[in-house]
Structure formats: structure tokens, C-alpha cells
Amino acid sequence: MTTSSVKTTTLRSDEFSCPSCVEKIETKLKGLDGVESAEVKFASGRVLVSHDPAKTPVRTLVDAVAEVGFTVKPSAI
């Protein structure tokens, strides 16, 4: 993956209730093709994902988090 194609997307949720949530979400996102990194900010309810949008569009990120049981929405920041 070339660095120029990598974008950071912020997803938000108020459903994170435990540290295992963090591990489940990060593991799922990091396993997607095109995702360089994923970091859940438990206290603020944010998920920062560095990814190649051509390989992994935002909808795919949202759907992947839903597969492990959480609802997230893209953030404007």
C-alpha cells in the first residue's frame, strides 16, 4: 500500500462498554485488506482507521464493526 493512498477515517460510537470491545473492533478492522492501522479510543468513543479507500471504503469499515456487534458512524473530524 502506498502512503499517498492512505486516509484516516474517524468513526464514532457510544456503545463501547468494555476493554474487550476495543480488542474485538481493532482485530476485525486490522484484518481487512487495505487497512494499515486501527485504534479505538475507548473513553471518547472514537475509532481511528488508516486505510486505502480504494480497497476499503468507509462503508466496509462500518459494516465490519457491525459484524462484531457495534454501531459506528463516520465523523466529520
Side-chain angles (χ1 to χ4, degrees):
M1 179 176 350
T2 61
T3 306
S4 62
S5 64
V6 174
K7 170 187 172 185
T8 299
T9 297
T10 301
L11 305 172
R12 291 194 177 273
S13 179
D14 58 1
E15 296 183 353
F16 307 150
S17 59
C18 61
S20 69
C21 303
V22 171
E23 183 179 348
K24 287 178 187 177
I25 294 166
E26 288 180 350
T27 299
K28 182 67 173 182
L29 291 171
K30 289 176 183 176
L32 298 174
D33 184 39
V35 173
E36 189 174 276
S37 67
E39 182 180 3
V40 175
K41 304 288 189 175
F42 181 77
S44 64
R46 295 185 317 159
V47 183
L48 305 176
V49 187
S50 294
H51 64 106
D52 179 346
K55 291 182 179 181
T56 314
V58 174
R59 180 81 245 164
T60 300
L61 301 175
V62 171
D63 290 346
V65 175
E67 288 177 16
V68 293
F70 303 95
T71 303
V72 291
K73 295 181 182 179
S75 177
I77 56 171

